[in-house]
Amino acid sequence: MKHVLSGLTAGLCLSAAALACDNDDTDGADIGLVLSGGGAFANTHIGVIRVLEEEGVPVHCIVGTSMGSVVGGLYAAGWSPGEMRTEFEAADWPQLITNTLGREELPYREKDRQDEYYSDYIAGWGENGLILPSSVTTLRGLQGFYRDLLDEAPPAFDFDDLPIPYRAVATDLGTGQAVILDHGDIVEAMLASMSVPGLFDPREIDGRLLIDGGMSKQLPVDVARDMGADIIIVVDTTVEPGEPPASPSVVQVAQQLVQVQVWLNRTEQAELLTERDILIRPDLSGLSTGSFERAGEGFESGMIAAEPFRARMAEIAAIAAPPLDRPNPVMARATGGARTVTAVRIDNETIVSDAMIADRFGISPGDTVTREDIREGLIEVAGLDTFGTIDAGFETDGTLTLRTAERPLGRNLFQAGITLSNSFNQDSRYVLRARYTRAPANASGAQFSLNGALGSDIEISAAWLQPFGRGGRFYYELGAGYLGTPIPLDLAGIRIDEYWTTRLFGRAEIGRDFGRWGRLSVDAGYRNGEYDTPFELMEDGGDIDLENADLGLTFEFDTLDHPDFPTGGRAVIADARLVADLVDVEPFDDVFERYHFRGEQAFGMGRWGGMVRGESGRSEDEGSTLEALFFLGGFRNLTAIGERQLPVNSFDMVAVEGYRRLTSPDAVGAIPIWVGLLAEYAEYTLDLGGTDVYFGHTSSLTGYAAVNTLIGPAFIGYGRGQHGDQTVFVYIGREF
């Protein structure tokens, strides 16, 4: 039966001898269970445990390495094989392992950054200089998952006090020696034991940096023997290394070295087994260390592997000591999983104020909360976008402790990204982007950033984002800088003009953050520069001065579950703006209105998804301020027309898109690949100077393939319009 941890305090008065694996030998043999590492292969462990229970074999102590420590820890805490199988089959392992919240759960600010930059933070700067990431991802996703499964575990206790005494094996990164974790936070012990070097960050426990236990003790037979086990049952999922390729890559060399190291220490431990012990090696054919989506198959493979040992298991059951008799009180989950909070403690290692964190967390003493309530609070705290690890758990006295830590990369962060497009029709654009961020910059979670862009766009700018109010829900942002962008003017596929716009700008915004789903803001800006053109269409040359100011109100709403290929949720952006042209007129004499609306609804079923989008824009400007026009053209914006090549005063557009993911979304490490079909239709008006009025309509049909890359989503496709417009395009990154 699961979740017996709330009764641990009742058993703390028992003696250590009564809780050890080495019980009174006069009542029978003590049985130790040893579970190896192996990622998703650990599902086979669960199947073997099911057979052990069917044969009546009691387990008096458990030792696990890596994912074996996870299965072993859950079983030691009272989870049954069937319950573990159900949880493992239902879990979203790709999301847990890559530490990616569903997009609908991200803070709105993070969604904005996803749309703008195409790589996560790639470096930091600290007292000792440049800090590079120590891993591909973090263990935050798995930390929350294991915390949910063991939500009644005290923050620190002796693992001998579990219903079955338990040990997790990790490796000291400094010495390479095995570290046997027998007390403390059971979730942290599991995470340390499975911290695969390069994939996950090391875990710090008692001042030591710990990594995956398989590097030192893949099959910890001697640990079970030291605990007093008389008979040891081992489930071994270690893969024997094969011959390296003739010309191995750097990655292949590293993989081979790890496999050899793990196999060598596994073999040393296997030689410690005696004739009394059992070594079970499940058939791993068709499985992989990352195939968590095939948990059911792993479970069945474990049961099949244990089948030949049933007779021996029956013999062991006949001579084994009785099952351990541990306290099994009524669990908190029996009342629906709700617990009453006696106190809230903030254990905060960052400069962000405890008060702001507590306000964001939203849980107070006297509240009755479930684990889902705590999870919601953690997501809200993460919305401040300033932390590394965020975790929460109950103390034995009902105190709910929230723990926050700084990012491993520190507070000085560097980020880079790229956007590329090429229509193979003398129309290409590229932008290399970089950003430096100081976060947090003060106790309120402020952020200071410097931004740069080079290529088709040129930018250098600075911004200060300052949250304020209860929980930092309100914010203001100040920004200034220099920006240069191209503005092509095409009509009916003919380039009539081409401007290079340069401007110095300043902007201020104040708004209300609604957490994950949206925000409301008011902003004002000023720009001063010029439009430069090689076309000499005017008597005094082609260059035009630029000076304008604007004031806008914007509402944004976004619950889409993916930035590029959503299968659920909707998004809305509504913007109303007053723009004043300040060139050669008295201030604010030439003021016009500009409105823009865009709405999206996503739908999906399995690997199929789609989206319906409607968009509309109205601008009273007649070309005096070209930036106030709308520029159509480019992928998902009348795709058959080149990037931003159709300037209009007003437009109405509708688009319907369908796409299918070709690779499994459930497989850990699978590269996402999509194919899609997009149909677009728009009606528009262009009115320059009040005399040249152009009405038009066009449609576009596009087929494409897409794949996620390290620098962003990459698309290749072909679009054709009703008026003969067509483009073959390669596109990396999101819309410009």
Side-chain angles (χ1 to χ4, degrees):
M1 189 175 183
K2 65 180 178 181
H3 302 306
V4 299
L5 290 170
S6 60
L8 286 176
T9 52
L12 292 178
C13 60
L14 300 178
S15 68
L19 295 173
C21 190
D22 186 15
N23 291 295
D24 184 356
D25 289 337
T26 61
D27 64 355
D30 297 305
I31 313 303
L33 178 62
V34 172
L35 305 177
S36 74
F41 292 152
N43 292 307
T44 64
H45 299 339
I46 302 173
V48 172
I49 294 173
R50 166 64 67 83
V51 175
L52 288 175
E53 288 192 345
E54 290 176 354
E55 294 299 327
V57 178
V59 176
H60 302 100
C61 59
I62 300 175
V63 185
T65 292
S66 197
M67 276 299 293
S69 75
V70 176
V71 173
L74 292 173
Y75 190 56
W79 283 76
S80 73
E83 290 166 335
M84 284 190 283
R85 176 179 182 175
T86 298
E87 291 291 337
F88 280 28
E89 286 184 320
D92 187 344
W93 290 99
Q95 182 171 308
L96 293 173
I97 290 175
T98 58
N99 186 35
T100 53
L101 288 173
R103 189 173 188 274
E104 66 276 15
E105 296 181 331
L106 289 175
Y108 198 86
R109 194 180 303 160
E110 176 65 19
K111 295 177 184 179
D112 262 3
R113 188 163 59 212
Q114 271 193 355
D115 294 341
E116 181 181 4
Y117 285 90
Y118 323 117
S119 62
D120 203 350
Y121 291 123
I122 59 173
W125 188 269
E127 295 180 357
N128 298 319
L130 188 66
I131 306 172
L132 296 177
S134 60
S135 62
V136 174
T137 184
T138 73
L139 284 160
R140 185 191 293 181
L142 289 169
Q143 181 186 53
F145 179 54
Y146 299 155
R147 192 71 72 192
D148 286 346
L149 300 181
L150 297 167
D151 59 351
E152 298 171 36
F157 64 96
D158 190 325
F159 296 166
D160 280 348
D161 295 332
L162 286 163
I164 302 174
Y166 163 73
R167 301 289 185 270
V169 179
T171 301
D172 190 316
L173 183 59
T175 66
Q177 299 298 309
V179 176
I180 313 305
L181 300 170
D182 59 2
H183 69 281
D185 184 334
I186 188 172
V187 170
E188 284 299 312
M190 291 176 176
L191 296 175
S193 182
M194 63 170 295
S195 293
V196 179
L199 179 60
F200 299 121
D201 291 328
R203 309 298 289 189
E204 183 176 350
I205 296 180
D206 296 333
R208 294 179 295 190
L209 285 178
L210 304 182
I211 59 173
D212 193 287
M215 299 301 296
S216 59
K217 210 177 285 287
Q218 166 74 350
L219 209 65
V221 173
D222 59 350
V223 179
R225 198 77 75 191
D226 291 343
M227 292 178 72
D230 299 311
I231 298 175
I232 298 176
I233 299 172
V234 178
V235 187
D236 179 18
T237 58
T238 314
V239 176
E240 184 173 0
E243 289 295 323
S247 300
S249 66
V250 173
V251 173
Q252 289 172 324
V253 169
Q255 289 176 337
Q256 184 74 7
L257 287 173
V258 169
Q259 289 181 352
V260 169
Q261 173 66 23
V262 171
W263 182 258
L264 287 175
N265 76 62
R266 171 263 174 207
T267 302
E268 291 176 357
Q269 290 291 309
E271 291 174 352
L272 301 178
L273 296 172
T274 69
E275 293 182 355
R276 300 186 70 191
D277 305 321
I278 295 178
L279 175 63
I280 301 174
R281 289 181 54 79
D283 181 7
L284 305 177
S285 301
L287 302 175
S288 70
T289 56
S291 57
F292 287 93
E293 78 282 2
R294 303 173 70 178
E297 294 178 42
F299 180 89
E300 297 299 330
S301 180
M303 291 194 67
I304 292 171
E307 196 68 26
F309 297 93
R310 282 188 180 270
R312 174 62 182 142
M313 290 178 183
E315 293 175 358
I316 292 174
I319 63 172
L324 296 175
D325 184 17
R326 300 296 177 85
N328 186 15
V330 176
M331 277 91 57
R333 183 86 37 127
T335 60
R339 298 185 67 175
T340 300
V341 180
T342 59
V344 175
R345 184 167 71 91
I346 307 298
D347 184 1
N348 176 28
E349 298 179 3
T350 75
I351 68 168
V352 178
S353 73
D354 292 355
M356 178 159 293
I357 294 173
D359 284 342
R360 279 272 180 163
F361 194 40
I363 296 177
S364 304
D367 291 347
T368 300
V369 298
T370 64
R371 190 66 208 177
E372 183 60 27
D373 295 327
I374 296 173
R375 183 173 179 273
E376 289 290 313
L378 293 177
I379 292 174
E380 292 300 316
V381 173
L384 288 170
D385 194 27
T386 56
F387 307 109
T389 300
I390 306 175
D391 188 23
F394 276 99
E395 311 280 346
T396 54
D397 63 355
T399 297
L400 181 58
T401 298
L402 172 64
R403 294 174 284 273
T404 61
E406 286 192 352
R407 295 183 180 92
L409 295 178
R411 296 164 59 195
N412 299 302
L413 306 166
F414 298 90
Q415 189 178 24
I418 186 171
T419 302
L420 303 171
S421 70
N422 193 329
S423 66
F424 300 99
N425 188 27
Q426 297 182 341
D427 175 43
S428 63
R429 297 188 69 195
Y430 69 93
V431 180
L432 301 174
R433 305 180 187 276
R435 169 181 284 178
Y436 160 75
T437 303
R438 173 75 168 177
N442 59 27
S444 300
Q447 295 186 8
F448 171 74
S449 62
L450 290 173
N451 304 281
L454 184 65
S456 301
D457 295 352
I458 296 177
E459 177 186 2
I460 180 167
S461 63
W464 178 273
L465 176 68
Q466 178 64 64
F468 68 93
R470 185 174 178 84
R473 297 296 186 191
F474 292 90
Y475 70 91
Y476 67 81
E477 184 171 12
L478 304 175
Y482 166 86
L483 184 63
T485 56
I487 298 182
L489 295 180
D490 283 26
L491 286 177
I494 300 174
R495 181 67 50 91
I496 64 171
D497 211 339
E498 182 174 332
Y499 288 101
W500 172 253
T501 306
T502 59
R503 58 239 191 233
L504 297 172
F505 68 89
R507 179 159 295 279
E509 178 180 332
I510 186 168
R512 171 66 160 88
D513 180 359
F514 296 112
R516 283 165 277 177
W517 61 266
R519 66 184 171 199
L520 179 66
S521 63
V522 176
D523 67 275
Y526 171 80
R527 289 168 293 277
N528 187 297
E530 64 179 8
Y531 304 111
D532 298 322
T533 176
F535 296 91
E536 302 295 330
L537 299 181
M538 304 189 183
E539 293 182 1
D540 56 351
D543 297 344
I544 304 173
D545 290 336
L546 179 161
E547 186 179 11
N548 60 63
D550 69 295
L551 177 67
L553 175 66
T554 304
F555 172 72
E556 298 170 274
F557 174 91
D558 189 342
T559 60
L560 297 175
D561 58 10
H562 193 279
D564 301 296
F565 302 99
T567 57
R570 58 186 59 88
V572 169
I573 179 168
D575 180 84
R577 194 163 299 276
L578 293 175
V579 182
D581 182 6
L582 306 179
V583 177
D584 298 328
V585 297
E586 292 298 322
F588 307 110
D589 278 359
D590 190 2
V591 178
F592 56 88
E593 300 172 357
R594 184 182 190 273
Y595 303 96
H596 179 234
F597 174 84
R598 176 170 175 162
E600 299 171 320
Q601 174 65 56
F603 53 90
M605 180 180 298
R607 296 187 188 182
W608 289 93
M611 186 160 54
V612 177
R613 182 174 70 254
E615 189 168 1
S616 181
R618 298 288 184 273
S619 174
E620 294 180 344
D621 180 43
E622 296 177 347
S624 59
T625 303
L626 294 179
E627 293 173 293
L629 298 176
F630 301 95
F631 286 83
L632 305 181
F635 183 55
R636 290 176 171 163
N637 191 22
L638 292 182
T639 311
I641 301 173
E643 191 80 40
R644 288 172 52 87
Q645 288 188 9
L646 180 60
V648 297
N649 298 91
S650 63
F651 75 98
D652 296 292
M653 184 168 69
V654 62
V656 179
E657 184 175 1
Y659 31 81
R660 185 182 191 277
R661 179 164 173 167
L662 301 181
T663 53
S664 173
D666 299 322
V668 175
I671 297 176
I673 300 175
W674 288 271
V675 292
L677 188 66
L678 169 64
E680 302 158 285
Y681 175 80
E683 295 182 349
Y684 51 86
T685 302
L686 178 61
D687 182 0
L688 296 178
T691 56
D692 300 321
V693 179
Y694 183 82
F695 301 96
H697 63 86
T698 189
S699 61
S700 176
L701 185 64
T702 305
Y704 65 86
V707 60
N708 266 12
T709 71
L710 294 177
I711 57 175
F715 303 85
I716 183 169
Y718 171 74
R720 184 174 182 84
Q722 73 181 70
H723 301 302
D725 302 311
Q726 59 181 328
T727 177
V728 178
F729 62 89
V730 172
Y731 196 96
I732 299 178
R734 301 188 175 96
E735 287 98 323
F736 277 94

